[in-house]
Amino acid sequence: DLKGKGDEIVNGWTKSSSTIGRKVTAIMDDKKITGRALRIDDDGTLIIYDGKKEYRIVAGDIKHLQY
């Protein structure tokens, strides 16, 4: 039963993620966003910060960039 284990699940995803902390480009149907992958939100959304604004990426392709 996963009920009430949201924080535990998100923390596990974050710890095992090769994306968090890296510079990435999120590629969606109608746009691209490049920035630093900050965290996975409680609902599983990837948060990317481009230096000005945080973006919530619900679906798209994520490309890791060189530092």
Side-chain angles (χ1 to χ4, degrees), residues 1-63:
D1 183 19
L2 298 176
K3 190 173 183 177
K5 295 188 178 190
D7 288 343
E8 184 178 333
I9 293 168
V10 170
N11 288 338
W13 284 341
T14 299
K15 287 178 185 175
S16 65
S17 174
S18 62
T19 300
I20 302 304
R22 293 190 65 171
K23 187 173 181 182
V24 298
T25 295
I27 305 162
M28 286 81 57
D29 288 337
D30 58 342
K31 63 180 168 181
K32 292 182 182 181
I33 297 170
T34 298
R36 181 98 27 219
L38 295 181
R39 67 183 179 278
I40 299 170
D41 228 353
D42 292 342
D43 61 0
T45 302
L46 178 64
I47 306 300
I48 296 177
Y49 179 67
D50 72 352
K52 297 177 187 173
K53 179 180 173 183
E54 287 187 4
Y55 295 88
R56 296 174 47 81
I57 309 302
V58 176
D61 291 321
I62 304 299
K63 181 178 179 181

